[in-house]
Amino acid sequence: MTKGNHNSPDLKSGKGSKDYSRYFDFSDAKVISEEEGKITYRIKGRNVQINSQPDYKEGKRRGKEEIEVHYDFEIPEEMQNFGVDKYYHITTYGCQMNEHDTETMKGLLEQMGYKSVDDRNHADIILLNTCAIRENAEDKVFGELGHLKNLKIEKPGLLLGVCGCMSQEEGVVNRIMSKHGFVDMIFGTHNIHRLPHLIKEAVFSKELVVEVWSKEGDIIENLPKKREGMRAWVNIMYGCDKFCTYCIVPFTRGKERSRRPEDVIAEVRELARQGFKEVTLLGQNVNAYGKDFTDIDYTFGDLMDDMRLIDIPRIRFMTSHPRDFDDKLIEVLGKGGNLVEHIHLPVQSGSTAVLKKMSRKYTREAYLELVRKIKISVPNAVLSTDIIVGFPGETDEQFEDTLSLVREVGYDMAYTFIYSPREGTPAAAMEDNVPMSVKSERLQRLNDLIKENSRIINDRMLGEVVEVLVEGESKNNSEVLSGRSRANKLVHFEGPKELIGTFVKVRITDTKTWYIKGDIVAEAAAVH
Ligand code: SAM
Ligand code: SF4
């Protein structure tokens, strides 16, 4: 926000489908006070304290500043018991990265004394950790805010926060300030560690506090995390520099920053010591890990090689960009051991022309060559992917190229999406001449093909013995246990509850499209 523009908040926004600034009038916003860089406005009857608000241009800029790592995080003393006898509820939208951020927020809140509650009617603080990847993800959040307004009217002391990727969007923050003034805090993806401070400011000032950093900050180690179950996520890097033309992540998550290998290794070792059975290494593009180190030559392949030496049964990773998937990584994955043979390798489209417009920086042929190399080096490799249909200008032939690539690779599973224009991204300004009915039909055809593939792959497993990490009772039948194979297949079988949290061997006896069934075997000759 520019200090000179005191009559209305800075409402500029990029091109795209959702330019909320066109719909909201802030001309009556008045400056109430201004101190230490924080400006308080009166907007539609509510005081809004703006510490900092998002700026797309800033978020897009990639500077050369050194990223520092801080190891001295502490909850401010006056907030250490602030949550005693109080309850929190967090609703999380979107990807694993958001799920993991929620674990950090839970950790922070619990260190302040708050306890978790499932029924949000009993919560003293409710946070919506949002996703901006597609428009329908955003619509859900605005719908939810509508419901929460009634709760806030019943319980004025309730603290309501909106955080995550949507908060990084200028238009969203403007819309909340204008239409949902009952919200108490808006903060972004770069300043989660500031949660205790923001709670303090919102509670004591009774204002809507907006603190969204457009630029990524330093890496903060030692943040508390509340993990549950036997599978843990570990961030190895933050941000993304790929700027695929449809994607908002580089704006909402900032530039690529890798955590130091010694910190990642120490965290995974500690999780192994605590008894976790599986770790998923997280990053928007894990294959770019280490490229930002200036003092050491250490890549994702090196990190995975070091992971093999840790006594934890399974290591996975999400998500890898085909462009940075190098031979070293393929070689290391081929060593197997605790590195599982499931690889999520988003392709997005099977047409080289569409990939070019998406700025994915690989061709159909290069992707297929990568798949070929992986299949040669990693025995029993299982591949899954992400695909977008109906990208602006996608022709029938180009869509057919996607179908033929799906057939050729033989994915086990895929996340499929209809293209959704995102404000400020280059694709949002491209002419989109594909009617929605055609996009929906393409999605249906693609999903049918993926289902067919998955069923064929599952059928081939009949009679095989797989190693399953038992996670709990099946959702629909408490007599049945369920777990995941190394290839991330959902497996159902009968067995005693004491097996939960252990590894068992299961012979496959029946297959469905999205899961397989089997019987526990005592001993197995060959396990997949
Ligand atoms: N970083 C990961 C990668 O590049 O593979 C994925 C990140 S994103 C959270 C997950 C998926 O959402 C993407 O792979 C893409 O298929 C999909 N996606 C991203 N932007 C989209 C958009 N504007 N419309 C539809 N799908 C989108
Ligand atoms: Fe988005 Fe592309 Fe980065 Fe994935 S690699 S987060 S799709 S910009």
Side-chain angles (χ1 to χ4, degrees), residues 27-233:
S27 55
D28 61 346
K30 288 200 176 58
V31 179
I32 305 280
S33 66
E34 195 178 344
E35 56 187 64
E36 292 172 12
K38 298 175 184 174
I39 306 179
T40 303
Y41 288 90
R42 185 113 187 125
I43 300 176
K44 306 245 180 313
R46 175 101 204 246
N47 282 7
V48 179
Q49 176 188 312
I50 299 186
N51 298 352
S52 54
Q53 82 179 117
D55 178 330
Y56 255 170
K57 265 200 211 127
E58 262 304 299
K60 195 177 171 188
R61 198 168 294 146
R62 291 297 184 261
K64 292 234 178 305
E65 313 84 33
E66 280 278 311
I67 296 291
E68 280 184 37
V69 186
H70 300 270
Y71 295 92
D72 52 358
F73 175 82
E74 270 183 27
I75 306 264
E77 211 180 313
E78 68 278 17
M79 294 307 281
Q80 282 177 4
N81 292 313
F82 189 82
V84 171
D85 296 329
K86 296 192 186 102
Y87 292 89
Y88 72 85
H89 182 98
I90 307 183
T91 305
T92 311
Y93 302 84
C95 65
Q96 288 84 358
M97 198 70 76
N98 267 16
E99 297 277 357
H100 190 42
D101 284 349
T102 290
E103 292 182 339
T104 305
M105 290 190 271
K106 286 182 175 181
L108 289 165
L109 290 167
E110 298 208 356
Q111 275 207 353
M112 293 165 65
Y114 283 97
K115 287 197 193 71
S116 158
V117 67
D118 287 339
D119 182 352
R120 64 184 189 191
N121 292 309
H122 296 135
D124 298 282
I125 175 167
I126 296 178
L127 298 178
L128 301 184
N129 187 6
T130 62
C131 168
I133 205 83
R134 284 178 304 280
E135 192 164 339
N136 58 4
E138 297 199 355
D139 292 343
K140 273 193 214 156
V141 172
F142 284 118
E144 201 56 29
L145 280 176
H147 298 137
L148 287 171
K149 184 177 184 177
N150 298 332
L151 195 57
K152 180 80 185 173
I153 292 170
E154 279 169 33
K155 276 176 78 171
L158 167 69
L159 211 56
L160 208 55
V162 178
C163 55
C165 287
M166 274 173 74
S167 304
Q168 295 292 141
E169 294 183 77
E170 296 170 11
V172 167
V173 172
N174 287 339
R175 178 167 169 179
I176 294 176
M177 289 193 299
S178 164
K179 291 249 156 169
H180 307 275
F182 53 91
V183 168
D184 299 289
M185 297 182 291
I186 306 175
F187 58 100
T189 57
H190 302 312
N191 58 339
I192 287 174
H193 61 285
R194 292 263 308 151
L195 180 58
H197 297 266
L198 298 175
I199 291 178
K200 183 175 154 191
E201 290 187 4
V203 168
F204 293 112
S205 70
K206 304 245 183 305
E207 287 164 358
L208 160 53
V209 175
V210 180
E211 184 175 301
V212 181
W213 297 358
S214 302
K215 280 217 89 51
E216 63 289 327
D218 292 334
I219 291 179
I220 318 283
E221 290 291 343
N222 304 340
L223 287 177
K225 295 182 180 77
K226 188 188 183 199
R227 291 181 162 110
E228 284 156 306
M230 60 212 76
R231 296 155 34 123
W233 288 301

Side-chain angles (χ1 to χ4, degrees), residues 126 128 190-191 216 259 326 342 370 425 452 477 479:
I126 296 178
L128 301 184
H190 302 312
N191 58 339
E216 63 289 327
R259 287 180 67 198
D326 59 19
H342 170 225
L370 175 60
T425 61
E452 199 183 301
N477 184 350
E479 299 297 300

Side-chain angles (χ1 to χ4, degrees), residues 133 239-250 256 284-285 319 321 346 348 358-360 386 388:
I133 205 83
C240 180
D241 288 347
K242 289 291 167 285
F243 289 101
C244 302
T245 54
Y246 51 82
C247 186
I248 200 157
V249 170
E256 289 173 355
Q284 289 300 344
N285 169 18
T319 292
H321 192 298
Q348 313 299 357
M358 289 177 163
S359 195
R360 290 288 289 181
D386 293 350
I388 296 175

